[in-house]
Amino acid sequence: MAPETDAPTLLAPVARRSFLRYSSAGLALGGLYLAGCSKDDTTGPSGSGLIDVGTGDTGILNYAYALEQLEAAFYTQVVAGAYYTGTASAAEKAIFSDLKDHEIIHREFFKAAIATGRITDALMPDFSGIDFAQRTTAAGSAKMGVLNAAMAFEDLGVAAYNGAGRFISNVDYLTLAGKIVSVEARHAAVIRELMTTNTFVASDVVDTTTTGLEKSKRPQVVLATANNFLMAGSKLSANNFA
């Protein structure tokens, strides 16, 4: 799916809830395009049956692209689901609509910006463990509610960007990753606040005792979780980023 665009609206006043769409995400788009883009390539599955993201900066960009594909697919399904179309409040609908748009922008940004060696554009999600009709996980249910799943995706995304920075060589890419993770962190915070007030700095995602910094996870740890939401043939590895 291509990102929704409407050129005339870029000249009109921007609604407060849409600010991120035209600020941080837009800056990231512009910055990475300066690094150049060209025709795309795809990497094939490795001998393990997993799609490996590759090596170097391209590998990290592929890694981010894969995660953004997954998040965009999730929020696209959220806004088509029974919870969103039924019992979600107007405020929750506005939030999920914006999150969907942000993740589509991020996905399309990486798709356009990876010059060569890009992984598949058609990763297949597996959301069978998510109940898109439920706001939160129902008691005794084996499936996650929408907010619980959103929190899992957003917390994982922030930890992924934080953990990937050490592997980026190009300082321009590092700057841009920092801009995107700041948007993802806002996503994570608002979802946590919808779940439970005053949990956006909870100790499971922020070191609240010593550094005050967000926690990070290395690519292989992140993908061990992300692969639970990808179908066979779309599962990922990051063998070059230990």
mmCIF file of all heavy atoms in Angstrom, residues 187-212:
data_model
loop_
_atom_site.group_PDB
_atom_site.id
_atom_site.type_symbol
_atom_site.label_atom_id
_atom_site.label_comp_id
_atom_site.label_asym_id
_atom_site.label_seq_id
_atom_site.Cartn_x
_atom_site.Cartn_y
_atom_site.Cartn_z
ATOM 1 N N HIS A 187 4.883 6.911 19.984
ATOM 2 C CA HIS A 187 3.859 5.886 19.788
ATOM 3 C C HIS A 187 3.766 4.992 21.031
ATOM 4 O O HIS A 187 2.673 4.721 21.529
ATOM 5 C CB HIS A 187 4.209 5.004 18.596
ATOM 6 C CG HIS A 187 4.161 5.690 17.273
ATOM 7 N ND1 HIS A 187 4.501 5.042 16.093
ATOM 8 C CD2 HIS A 187 3.820 6.960 16.913
ATOM 9 C CE1 HIS A 187 4.362 5.882 15.084
ATOM 10 N NE2 HIS A 187 3.965 7.047 15.560
ATOM 11 N N ALA A 188 4.915 4.502 21.460
ATOM 12 C CA ALA A 188 4.945 3.597 22.608
ATOM 13 C C ALA A 188 4.346 4.258 23.842
ATOM 14 O O ALA A 188 3.589 3.634 24.595
ATOM 15 C CB ALA A 188 6.383 3.146 22.881
ATOM 16 N N ALA A 189 4.665 5.534 24.048
ATOM 17 C CA ALA A 189 4.182 6.240 25.231
ATOM 18 C C ALA A 189 2.662 6.393 25.208
ATOM 19 O O ALA A 189 1.985 6.163 26.213
ATOM 20 C CB ALA A 189 4.846 7.614 25.328
ATOM 21 N N VAL A 190 2.111 6.770 24.051
ATOM 22 C CA VAL A 190 0.666 6.996 24.002
ATOM 23 C C VAL A 190 -0.100 5.683 24.141
ATOM 24 O O VAL A 190 -1.151 5.639 24.794
ATOM 25 C CB VAL A 190 0.258 7.758 22.714
ATOM 26 C CG1 VAL A 190 0.330 6.871 21.475
ATOM 27 C CG2 VAL A 190 -1.145 8.348 22.863
ATOM 28 N N ILE A 191 0.426 4.592 23.583
ATOM 29 C CA ILE A 191 -0.243 3.302 23.744
ATOM 30 C C ILE A 191 -0.227 2.873 25.202
ATOM 31 O O ILE A 191 -1.236 2.389 25.749
ATOM 32 C CB ILE A 191 0.421 2.222 22.857
ATOM 33 C CG1 ILE A 191 0.166 2.513 21.379
ATOM 34 C CG2 ILE A 191 -0.092 0.831 23.235
ATOM 35 C CD1 ILE A 191 -1.290 2.473 20.959
ATOM 36 N N ARG A 192 0.911 3.058 25.856
ATOM 37 C CA ARG A 192 0.991 2.693 27.271
ATOM 38 C C ARG A 192 0.030 3.539 28.118
ATOM 39 O O ARG A 192 -0.575 3.033 29.069
ATOM 40 C CB ARG A 192 2.430 2.841 27.778
ATOM 41 C CG ARG A 192 3.311 1.682 27.373
ATOM 42 C CD ARG A 192 4.761 1.853 27.794
ATOM 43 N NE ARG A 192 5.421 0.556 27.713
ATOM 44 C CZ ARG A 192 5.612 -0.252 28.752
ATOM 45 N NH1 ARG A 192 5.219 0.104 29.947
ATOM 46 N NH2 ARG A 192 6.198 -1.423 28.581
ATOM 47 N N GLU A 193 -0.127 4.798 27.778
ATOM 48 C CA GLU A 193 -1.051 5.648 28.527
ATOM 49 C C GLU A 193 -2.499 5.229 28.300
ATOM 50 O O GLU A 193 -3.336 5.350 29.201
ATOM 51 C CB GLU A 193 -0.857 7.120 28.146
ATOM 52 C CG GLU A 193 0.400 7.732 28.736
ATOM 53 C CD GLU A 193 0.386 7.724 30.265
ATOM 54 O OE1 GLU A 193 -0.383 8.498 30.864
ATOM 55 O OE2 GLU A 193 1.139 6.921 30.852
ATOM 56 N N LEU A 194 -2.818 4.743 27.098
ATOM 57 C CA LEU A 194 -4.159 4.221 26.850
ATOM 58 C C LEU A 194 -4.409 2.967 27.678
ATOM 59 O O LEU A 194 -5.538 2.709 28.116
ATOM 60 C CB LEU A 194 -4.347 3.899 25.369
ATOM 61 C CG LEU A 194 -4.445 5.085 24.404
ATOM 62 C CD1 LEU A 194 -4.563 4.582 22.968
ATOM 63 C CD2 LEU A 194 -5.642 5.981 24.739
ATOM 64 N N MET A 195 -3.355 2.190 27.868
ATOM 65 C CA MET A 195 -3.475 0.964 28.655
ATOM 66 C C MET A 195 -3.642 1.287 30.135
ATOM 67 O O MET A 195 -4.608 0.883 30.767
ATOM 68 C CB MET A 195 -2.231 0.096 28.457
ATOM 69 C CG MET A 195 -2.106 -0.545 27.094
ATOM 70 S SD MET A 195 -3.155 -2.001 26.917
ATOM 71 C CE MET A 195 -2.322 -3.138 28.028
ATOM 72 N N THR A 196 -2.670 2.024 30.675
ATOM 73 C CA THR A 196 -2.660 2.363 32.102
ATOM 74 C C THR A 196 -1.966 3.706 32.281
ATOM 75 O O THR A 196 -0.831 3.880 31.816
ATOM 76 C CB THR A 196 -1.906 1.300 32.935
ATOM 77 O OG1 THR A 196 -2.443 0.010 32.647
ATOM 78 C CG2 THR A 196 -2.026 1.581 34.422
ATOM 79 N N THR A 197 -2.618 4.637 32.948
ATOM 80 C CA THR A 197 -2.051 5.965 33.132
ATOM 81 C C THR A 197 -0.719 5.903 33.894
ATOM 82 O O THR A 197 -0.545 5.110 34.813
ATOM 83 C CB THR A 197 -3.032 6.855 33.918
ATOM 84 O OG1 THR A 197 -4.269 6.897 33.201
ATOM 85 C CG2 THR A 197 -2.497 8.272 34.067
ATOM 86 N N ASN A 198 0.203 6.767 33.462
ATOM 87 C CA ASN A 198 1.517 6.926 34.098
ATOM 88 C C ASN A 198 2.406 5.690 33.987
ATOM 89 O O ASN A 198 3.207 5.407 34.875
ATOM 90 C CB ASN A 198 1.375 7.321 35.577
ATOM 91 C CG ASN A 198 0.774 8.696 35.743
ATOM 92 O OD1 ASN A 198 0.956 9.574 34.895
ATOM 93 N ND2 ASN A 198 0.028 8.896 36.827
ATOM 94 N N THR A 199 2.283 4.958 32.866
ATOM 95 C CA THR A 199 3.158 3.802 32.656
ATOM 96 C C THR A 199 4.115 4.017 31.495
ATOM 97 O O THR A 199 4.850 3.099 31.136
ATOM 98 C CB THR A 199 2.338 2.526 32.384
ATOM 99 O OG1 THR A 199 1.536 2.720 31.210
ATOM 100 C CG2 THR A 199 1.451 2.193 33.570
ATOM 101 N N PHE A 200 4.124 5.227 30.903
ATOM 102 C CA PHE A 200 4.961 5.434 29.722
ATOM 103 C C PHE A 200 6.449 5.411 30.051
ATOM 104 O O PHE A 200 7.281 5.291 29.152
ATOM 105 C CB PHE A 200 4.603 6.749 29.020
ATOM 106 C CG PHE A 200 5.011 7.986 29.756
ATOM 107 C CD1 PHE A 200 6.167 8.659 29.417
ATOM 108 C CD2 PHE A 200 4.227 8.486 30.780
ATOM 109 C CE1 PHE A 200 6.552 9.808 30.083
ATOM 110 C CE2 PHE A 200 4.603 9.632 31.458
ATOM 111 C CZ PHE A 200 5.760 10.301 31.117
ATOM 112 N N VAL A 201 6.812 5.515 31.312
ATOM 113 C CA VAL A 201 8.218 5.385 31.716
ATOM 114 C C VAL A 201 8.399 4.200 32.669
ATOM 115 O O VAL A 201 9.213 4.232 33.561
ATOM 116 C CB VAL A 201 8.744 6.681 32.381
ATOM 117 C CG1 VAL A 201 8.893 7.784 31.372
ATOM 118 C CG2 VAL A 201 7.836 7.111 33.534
ATOM 119 N N ALA A 202 7.642 3.167 32.469
ATOM 120 C CA ALA A 202 7.726 2.007 33.345
ATOM 121 C C ALA A 202 9.104 1.356 33.262
ATOM 122 O O ALA A 202 9.806 1.451 32.252
ATOM 123 C CB ALA A 202 6.647 0.990 32.985
ATOM 124 N N SER A 203 9.483 0.663 34.316
ATOM 125 C CA SER A 203 10.845 0.119 34.430
ATOM 126 C C SER A 203 11.138 -1.004 33.454
ATOM 127 O O SER A 203 12.299 -1.366 33.273
ATOM 128 C CB SER A 203 11.081 -0.378 35.863
ATOM 129 O OG SER A 203 10.143 -1.389 36.199
ATOM 130 N N ASP A 204 10.106 -1.563 32.809
ATOM 131 C CA ASP A 204 10.383 -2.620 31.847
ATOM 132 C C ASP A 204 10.912 -2.070 30.523
ATOM 133 O O ASP A 204 11.474 -2.817 29.717
ATOM 134 C CB ASP A 204 9.145 -3.485 31.606
ATOM 135 C CG ASP A 204 7.962 -2.690 31.073
ATOM 136 O OD1 ASP A 204 7.827 -1.512 31.437
ATOM 137 O OD2 ASP A 204 7.160 -3.274 30.308
ATOM 138 N N VAL A 205 10.749 -0.763 30.279
ATOM 139 C CA VAL A 205 11.252 -0.173 29.034
ATOM 140 C C VAL A 205 12.263 0.953 29.261
ATOM 141 O O VAL A 205 12.985 1.342 28.343
ATOM 142 C CB VAL A 205 10.095 0.355 28.152
ATOM 143 C CG1 VAL A 205 9.302 -0.800 27.565
ATOM 144 C CG2 VAL A 205 9.201 1.300 28.929
ATOM 145 N N VAL A 206 12.312 1.481 30.467
ATOM 146 C CA VAL A 206 13.251 2.556 30.808
ATOM 147 C C VAL A 206 14.007 2.175 32.066
ATOM 148 O O VAL A 206 13.424 1.669 33.024
ATOM 149 C CB VAL A 206 12.507 3.897 31.018
ATOM 150 C CG1 VAL A 206 13.480 4.984 31.481
ATOM 151 C CG2 VAL A 206 11.801 4.329 29.745
ATOM 152 N N ASP A 207 15.318 2.411 32.058
ATOM 153 C CA ASP A 207 16.120 2.183 33.262
ATOM 154 C C ASP A 207 15.825 3.328 34.225
ATOM 155 O O ASP A 207 16.412 4.404 34.147
ATOM 156 C CB ASP A 207 17.604 2.151 32.909
ATOM 157 C CG ASP A 207 18.491 1.852 34.111
ATOM 158 O OD1 ASP A 207 17.990 1.924 35.256
ATOM 159 O OD2 ASP A 207 19.678 1.568 33.911
ATOM 160 N N THR A 208 14.876 3.092 35.115
ATOM 161 C CA THR A 208 14.410 4.155 36.001
ATOM 162 C C THR A 208 15.255 4.300 37.262
ATOM 163 O O THR A 208 15.017 5.211 38.062
ATOM 164 C CB THR A 208 12.947 3.891 36.413
ATOM 165 O OG1 THR A 208 12.850 2.602 37.025
ATOM 166 C CG2 THR A 208 12.026 3.956 35.214
ATOM 167 N N THR A 209 16.238 3.435 37.452
ATOM 168 C CA THR A 209 17.015 3.477 38.690
ATOM 169 C C THR A 209 18.403 4.094 38.537
ATOM 170 O O THR A 209 18.928 4.670 39.487
ATOM 171 C CB THR A 209 17.170 2.059 39.274
ATOM 172 O OG1 THR A 209 17.818 1.221 38.311
ATOM 173 C CG2 THR A 209 15.811 1.481 39.626
ATOM 174 N N THR A 210 19.007 3.978 37.347
ATOM 175 C CA THR A 210 20.378 4.483 37.199
ATOM 176 C C THR A 210 20.527 5.502 36.075
ATOM 177 O O THR A 210 20.787 6.671 36.327
ATOM 178 C CB THR A 210 21.358 3.307 36.961
ATOM 179 O OG1 THR A 210 20.904 2.536 35.847
ATOM 180 C CG2 THR A 210 21.451 2.419 38.190
ATOM 181 N N THR A 211 20.335 5.077 34.816
ATOM 182 C CA THR A 211 20.627 5.964 33.682
ATOM 183 C C THR A 211 19.447 6.814 33.232
ATOM 184 O O THR A 211 19.631 7.862 32.629
ATOM 185 C CB THR A 211 21.116 5.147 32.474
ATOM 186 O OG1 THR A 211 20.039 4.328 31.994
ATOM 187 C CG2 THR A 211 22.294 4.268 32.858
ATOM 188 N N GLY A 212 18.231 6.337 33.457
ATOM 189 C CA GLY A 212 17.064 7.038 32.941
ATOM 190 C C GLY A 212 16.894 6.890 31.441
ATOM 191 O O GLY A 212 16.085 7.608 30.829
#
